[in-house]
Amino acid sequence: MNELLTAVRAGRHHEVPPLVLALDRPGRRAALTELKELRKEVRSWDWQRRDRIRKALLVAGAGCHTGAAGCAAWIGGRDLRDWTRSPYPLILASLKDRAPEWLGDLAHRFAGRAALSDAEYTFVGELTRIAGVPLPVTDNLVVGWAELVGAARWRGRTRRPLTDILRDDPHTAVLASRLFEMPELPPQVDFYDAPDSQDHWPGALCALADDGVLDRAHLVERCVTRLMRGGKSVDQRFFLAVLLRLGTTEEEEDRHLRDWTAMAADGIAPVASHAQQVLVRLDARGVLSTRELADVSGAVLFRQEKKLVRAQLTLLGKALRRDASTAGELLPAVAEAFGHEAIDVQERALKLVARYLPGAGDPEVRERLASAAGQLGPLHRESVAALFGDLVEEEAAEAYEEYLPPAPVLRRLEPAPETVAELVEEVAARVKAHASEHWIPSSAVLDASDGITGFERALDGLVRLARTDREELTGALREALAGVHFVEHGLSPYMIDPRYISTSHGLSAVAASLLGLVTERDRVAWRAKTTVKGADACAHAALNGVLLDRVWEAVEAIAAGRPFLVATPTWHTGAIEAAELVERLRAYRELGASPGPADFAQALLRVRRNSGPEGAAAAAAAEALGTGEGDRLAAWIRADEPVAPVLRHPATAVSRPSAGNWWQRTTTGARQVLLATRERLVIQREFPEAFHWLGRAQLPHARECYHWGPERSSHWTATLPEDPETLAAWLMPDLLFAADQGQRGAVGFLPALAESAGEAGGAMHLALAYGLGARHPEDRTAAVDALLVLAARGRLDGASLGRELAILVDRDLVKVNRTADALGTAAATGAYRTVLTVLAAMLPGLLAYEKTPRGLGDLLSVAAGCAERCGTDGIPPIAGLAATAGRKGSSQTVRQAARLLAAFPARAEESAPEALGPQAAAPEAIGPEGVGPEGVGPQASGADRKDQGVAGLKI
């Protein structure tokens, strides 16, 4: 036994099987007791020591177990599974003296465990072969088998066909059939790159069915059942691909009539489309009754997919032409399409009703159809009135009411934890789980432990309790953070790099310093790297550098015994009340101490600037302190200036592309719409060096940074809670890449920025325009949240946002269809008037194009829907709308333009100015007044703005 334990501790796993076989039953039990104790001990070791003995420990424990259940549990232990080369041949060698019945029992027990890979499948297969028992078919075993089959395709110099691999596997018949029983398919089965190829799972399984290896009828039944059940979209597509390749007989289609109707109503689009095609064949054969057709049509016409709805209307039209007497049953189903968002769908449904209405003799049916026609918009009112006459009731006009979310309310930050236990629990949770690294939606109800507020509470708590209970705090942290990587190995370079730091890394650095893991030399050297220098420095590293400088200064504050941090926010946005900051400075004066430079500098950036009586009183109180910090605070409040004034971009007009110059809109140099910021000398002169980047003039530069991510950015808005314009200008390149190149997650800060107390001017509206045109839906949703927050707070200039969107569309920086999707989402919340105001300013420039932008019809559809719900009172006429509506043809753009035009008063466009671009119909884009030496304001020309924007910079 001692030799076995010695070999295990030395990691000599190849020596373990003979040593195990040399032990008798009592010896194995005694060794197992020692191995279990060793396993507990190993869990506290560092990863290198664990790796050295893990495989030997696994083999020894498996061989020493005398019961199959315990052996299966030992082999499947997660802490023993982290190996590179499979140890299962060694386990089989250590078990070769066991009875076949015992090995069969082990195979069945182990096959039922979770997370089996190809190595486990091979192990179970060998166990069953040796024991002479059938292979236990479990879902986990099928996952391992699929992984093994997928890997076998790439062994050797040439790729083996999947069908050949499956034919050679003796277990294919039972395991492949199990695929159709599993709740979710293995990922290796779902993936195939060429749907028409035979060398993927659907094609291979159908080939096996043709060969008689698999039962074709059974596969058809299982595919239909799985498509009926629903599930992951990728799984549904797999079963549909198999079903399409297998084909269905008329008898099979007839037998599953109810299944096809259910799939057409509720299945994903590809499944519903196939089911609809089967229903067409059933209807042609007379199997589908009129009642069943009406029922399924009502459900299909309720769907949003236009292709499905149009196909269903075609099927209904064929049924009505074949037998007009069915109009009484089928026309109410047709009327379901009156509520569809597509104007052409509504028109097709209305034409069907008009054609076959005489065949519906029942007055009750006519009343139902007339009631349903009330869903149609103003474009169809005359047709509806002519068709139904007095049956159409004029609805009393109701005053429109805009539905916006409640304006966000400031929530006061809870004080720092007062006990060591509470503080250590919060710090450990944040360090281990990185819970503070994600953006918090503006609509969320923030818990005090979430986001930047939780980080600030924890940082302030560490400073406070380190001064009063240093020994207890250090001991509790050491115990709570045992096993964390930086405690065992020190801080990683990325944790102290301004390009990569997050709030959880900041807490880790402070905790490491408290535990004595950071030397004074390292601290000084690492803090020197917080300063971002060079012309290529980005805003991400600069803002992170401020955080990192504060972290290292907090370490110094703990060493110096400072009582607390003055930069801890008052509110959840990161802002500090000026009067509260004055009281903190007063407490420092009474103690005869001074706050840290970075701590005080961050407090100044966070203090709420107020030019009214409250601000004046706070400035006077700060000045009365008689300290340098008090004087600086008073001057900062009285100045009431942004951290870095924003210069507006010169792109204030929308060009009119034609067929001859359309290509010019895609040139890179002319497409960027970014903002510059002026310098702020007081920051460069009086703030610590890590803050100097914030005070320098910044020229716009479109450069994609690969070192940042939304998970490392939650503190940015809290760094400048009073300056959303400045922050939006600095982060504008990220938003550009989110819209133009699909960078994911860059829009996440917009909702928090919309909650900031500062002005929402031109930079914020340009940022919002980029966000609404972002490539990824989750980013557009974040932008919609920000739009609704600004609207609820009364800070949204819809006309300005619309003009910015038109400019970005003109430069191919945002796509019209994505913008339509985002604005449609905003309108669906009840903000119809808000969205219509945006679109009324955006559309004139787009309607002036010689070549219609792709997606313009969708945008007009959103505008028409808004106009029909909220009316057009107060909305200026849209230049170019009548000309677009009067074009020949029946395209979506023309139809939706006519629909929108019908919502305006007659001949309203005659008073609209010529469609020279959005600037001709409304004031210019909003922006901060007086940002240049000449007092650049909203009425300045584009050329003047461009000249002043460059001349006013001090580089």
Side-chain angles (χ1 to χ4, degrees):
M1 182 179 74
N2 291 333
E3 292 182 10
L4 174 63
L5 294 175
T6 302
V8 170
R9 286 186 174 274
R12 301 193 299 270
H13 48 272
H14 289 289
E15 301 178 9
V16 170
L19 294 175
V20 170
L21 294 174
L23 297 175
D24 56 10
R25 191 178 184 88
R28 293 183 185 183
R29 289 178 177 173
L32 180 61
T33 303
E34 297 294 332
L35 291 171
K36 289 180 177 179
E37 293 299 321
L38 178 59
R39 183 178 180 181
K40 295 178 182 178
E41 179 185 342
V42 165
R43 289 170 181 164
S44 63
W45 292 2
D46 63 76
W47 65 273
Q48 291 177 323
R49 292 180 64 193
R50 286 198 302 267
D51 279 353
R52 190 160 47 246
I53 77 165
R54 180 181 284 117
K55 191 176 293 187
L57 183 59
L58 173 64
V59 175
C64 289
H65 269 89
T66 57
C71 184
W74 182 276
I75 298 173
R78 291 183 178 274
D79 57 328
L80 299 176
R81 290 173 59 88
D82 192 12
W83 31 259
T84 52
R85 303 188 66 177
S86 173
Y88 293 121
L90 297 176
I91 295 178
L92 289 171
S94 67
L95 298 176
K96 70 178 184 179
D97 61 344
R98 305 301 173 93
E101 296 79 7
W102 192 95
L103 294 176
D105 188 18
L106 173 63
H108 279 78
R109 291 179 182 275
F110 187 70
R113 300 188 64 84
L116 298 187
S117 66
D118 57 341
E120 278 88 2
Y121 167 73
T122 304
F123 175 60
V124 174
E126 282 297 303
L127 285 175
T128 55
R129 183 187 63 80
I130 297 171
V133 297
L135 186 74
V137 182
T138 65
D139 291 348
N140 295 324
L141 194 70
V142 173
V143 172
W145 169 71
E147 185 176 325
L148 180 66
V149 170
R153 302 175 69 181
W154 305 100
R155 290 174 184 163
R157 295 184 177 181
T158 59
R159 172 175 169 173
R160 289 189 63 194
L162 178 61
T163 305
D164 293 347
I165 298 174
L166 294 177
R167 285 195 182 107
D168 294 342
D169 192 322
H171 303 299
T172 292
V174 291
L175 295 178
S177 299
R178 183 74 177 193
L179 287 172
F180 296 82
E181 312 288 339
M182 298 172 64
E184 292 185 4
L185 289 174
Q188 297 83 1
V189 175
D190 280 339
F191 174 77
Y192 50 93
D193 52 0
D196 296 331
S197 170
Q198 290 289 343
D199 193 26
H200 56 62
W201 281 89
L205 293 176
C206 292
L208 294 177
D210 293 339
D211 295 344
V213 178
L214 300 176
D215 184 359
R216 179 203 163 278
H218 175 72
L219 294 186
V220 170
E221 293 294 323
R222 293 309 305 165
C223 284
V224 173
T225 301
R226 291 304 302 269
L227 293 175
M228 264 290 297
R229 183 191 304 173
K232 293 170 57 179
S233 175
V234 66
D235 290 357
Q236 294 281 287
R237 293 175 186 273
F238 170 84
F239 293 116
L240 178 61
V242 174
L243 184 62
L244 289 174
R245 287 176 175 271
L246 291 173
T248 49
T249 64
E250 292 185 359
E251 189 275 332
E252 288 171 335
E253 290 179 349
D254 295 348
R255 187 169 67 250
H256 292 287
L257 170 62
R258 294 187 180 275
D259 296 331
W260 306 125
T261 58
M263 290 181 212
D266 301 320
I268 62 173
V271 174
S273 178
H274 173 69
Q276 192 177 55
Q277 294 171 20
V278 176
L279 291 176
V280 171
R281 295 195 292 268
L282 293 175
D283 178 67
R285 297 199 299 268
V287 178
L288 186 65
S289 69
T290 302
R291 182 69 267 159
E292 290 168 332
L293 176 59
D295 290 341
V296 70
S297 296
V300 173
L301 295 177
F302 190 73
R303 298 179 65 117
Q304 296 299 312
E305 298 90 343
K306 297 178 184 178
K307 183 178 179 180
L308 291 175
V309 173
R310 292 180 185 130
Q312 196 66 26
L313 288 175
T314 300
L315 176 59
L316 287 167
K318 290 180 180 179
L320 287 167
R321 283 196 302 271
R322 187 172 59 244
D323 185 1
S325 64
T326 60
E329 285 189 87
L330 296 182
L331 288 185
V334 174
E336 291 289 339
F338 290 163
H340 199 275
E341 61 181 11
I343 191 70
D344 60 323
V345 170
Q346 296 177 3
E347 289 180 355
R348 291 183 65 173
L350 186 58
K351 288 179 181 178
L352 269 180
V353 171
R355 182 177 301 171
Y356 295 103
L357 184 62
D362 189 348
E364 184 178 347
V365 173
R366 297 177 65 89
E367 290 179 5
R368 289 175 57 190
L369 294 174
S371 176
Q375 302 176 72
L376 298 172
L379 184 64
H380 300 112
R381 284 175 185 166
E382 292 185 8
S383 300
V384 171
L387 184 61
F388 295 105
D390 297 337
L391 293 177
V392 180
E393 298 181 0
E394 290 289 339
E395 296 183 2
E398 297 181 1
Y400 171 73
E401 181 180 358
E402 186 87 342
Y403 289 98
L404 293 172
V409 179
L410 287 175
R411 293 176 291 278
R412 183 172 288 273
L413 182 67
E414 293 185 7
E418 297 181 353
T419 65
V420 170
E422 182 184 359
L423 174 63
V424 169
E425 181 182 2
E426 184 167 333
V427 170
R430 302 182 75 80
V431 167
K432 292 179 179 179
H434 296 255
S436 64
E437 296 187 6
H438 297 281
W439 287 104
I440 300 173
S442 59
S443 59
V445 179
L446 296 183
D447 186 85
S449 63
D450 286 335
I452 189 64
T453 56
F455 163 75
E456 294 288 350
R457 290 179 66 248
L459 186 64
D460 187 37
L462 288 171
V463 173
R464 290 174 181 269
L465 292 181
R467 183 169 182 258
T468 58
D469 302 290
R470 175 70 174 269
E471 185 175 349
E472 182 184 357
L473 176 61
T474 302
L477 283 173
R478 192 180 306 278
E479 180 180 355
L481 300 178
V484 176
H485 185 271
F486 78 83
V487 176
E488 296 185 356
H489 306 284
L491 294 173
S492 301
Y494 73 89
M495 299 177 70
I496 52 174
D497 190 325
R499 295 173 299 174
Y500 306 109
I501 188 175
S502 66
T503 52
S504 63
H505 296 155
L507 290 179
S508 299
V510 177
S513 300
L514 278 169
L515 297 176
L517 304 176
V518 179
T519 65
E520 180 66 16
R521 179 180 178 181
D522 287 341
R523 183 190 61 76
V524 173
W526 288 340
R527 188 174 185 187
K529 297 179 181 179
T530 62
T531 302
V532 177
K533 301 178 181 179
D536 294 334
C538 64
H540 316 124
L543 292 166
N544 290 343
V546 169
L547 173 71
L548 189 56
D549 195 51
R550 290 184 57 218
V551 166
W552 290 125
E553 189 177 87
V555 174
E556 295 177 0
I558 291 173
R562 292 195 184 113
F564 54 83
L565 299 178
V566 297
T568 304
T570 304
W571 306 104
H572 78 280
T573 60
I576 301 176
E577 288 293 340
E580 187 169 335
L581 181 55
V582 170
E583 292 305 314
R584 294 175 185 176
L585 294 179
R586 192 188 310 279
Y588 261 94
R589 186 193 65 177
E590 294 174 354
L591 292 172
S594 298
D599 185 27
F600 181 65
Q602 177 64 89
L604 288 181
L605 296 179
R606 285 177 171 172
V607 71
R608 299 188 70 184
R609 299 190 295 268
N610 191 336
S611 59
E614 294 182 5
E623 193 173 32
L625 292 175
T627 63
E629 289 80 8
D631 294 341
R632 287 176 60 189
L633 175 58
W636 184 269
I637 295 174
R638 287 167 179 160
D640 192 19
E641 296 179 8
V643 169
V646 179
L647 297 174
R648 291 159 45 213
H649 64 83
T652 57
V654 175
S655 60
R656 301 179 66 175
S658 63
N661 69 356
W662 189 265
W663 61 272
Q664 295 177 349
R665 295 172 61 239
T666 62
T667 57
T668 303
R671 296 174 59 214
Q672 299 174 0
V673 180
L674 300 172
L675 302 177
T677 57
R678 292 188 184 279
E679 66 178 357
R680 184 79 185 278
L681 292 178
V682 66
I683 294 180
Q684 299 183 58
R685 293 170 181 168
E686 300 181 5
F687 281 50
E689 190 177 7
F691 291 73
H692 286 181
W693 188 96
L694 310 182
R696 299 191 194 113
Q698 303 296 336
L699 284 172
H701 182 52
R703 180 186 61 201
E704 189 170 9
C705 296
Y706 297 96
H707 57 259
W708 80 278
E711 72 279 359
R712 298 190 178 99
S713 317
S714 59
H715 58 280
W716 290 351
T717 53
T719 302
L720 302 174
E722 293 292 300
D723 294 278
E725 283 287 284
T726 302
L727 196 57
W730 288 342
L731 300 180
M732 201 71 71
D734 299 325
L735 300 172
L736 184 152
F737 285 114
D740 189 39
Q741 298 185 19
Q743 180 173 285
R744 190 184 296 272
V747 188
F749 70 92
L750 279 183
L753 206 62
E755 288 194 31
S756 300
E759 174 193 7
M764 187 66 196
H765 284 74
L766 178 59
L768 191 57
Y770 274 120
L772 292 172
R775 176 180 299 179
H776 299 289
E778 61 270 25
D779 288 329
R780 295 197 295 270
T781 300
V784 169
D785 289 343
L787 183 150
L788 295 176
V789 169
L790 288 178
R793 300 181 68 193
R795 298 191 174 191
L796 179 70
D797 187 329
S800 173
L801 176 59
R803 290 191 291 273
E804 297 288 11
L805 282 167
I807 291 169
L808 298 185
V809 169
D810 177 64
R811 282 153 179 78
D812 271 346
L813 291 171
V814 302
K815 305 297 182 185
V816 177
N817 56 342
R818 296 174 187 165
T819 306
D821 174 74
L823 292 176
T825 301
T829 66
Y832 297 109
R833 171 70 63 168
T834 299
V835 173
L836 184 59
T837 303
V838 174
L839 290 172
M842 180 184 179
L843 285 171
L846 306 187
L847 293 173
Y849 289 170
E850 178 181 332
K851 180 179 178 180
T852 302
R854 182 179 180 181
L856 181 58
D858 296 332
L859 203 65
L860 288 167
S861 176
V862 175
C866 292
E868 291 170 356
R869 288 171 173 82
C870 69
T872 57
D873 294 340
I875 302 296
I878 300 175
L881 182 61
T884 303
R887 292 179 187 172
K888 296 181 179 179
S890 57
S891 66
Q892 174 80 344
T893 299
V894 174
R895 291 170 179 267
Q896 296 297 342
R899 177 187 173 196
L900 177 58
L901 185 63
F904 281 87
R907 306 181 66 82
E909 197 179 74
E910 292 183 356
S911 61
E914 185 68 23
L916 296 176
Q919 76 282 4
E924 295 199 14
I926 62 174
E929 298 281 351
V931 297
E934 305 299 328
V936 181
Q939 303 304 320
S941 67
D944 291 341
R945 270 197 303 276
K946 183 175 182 179
D947 294 339
Q948 293 178 17
V950 175
L953 285 172
K954 296 181 181 180
I955 305 298

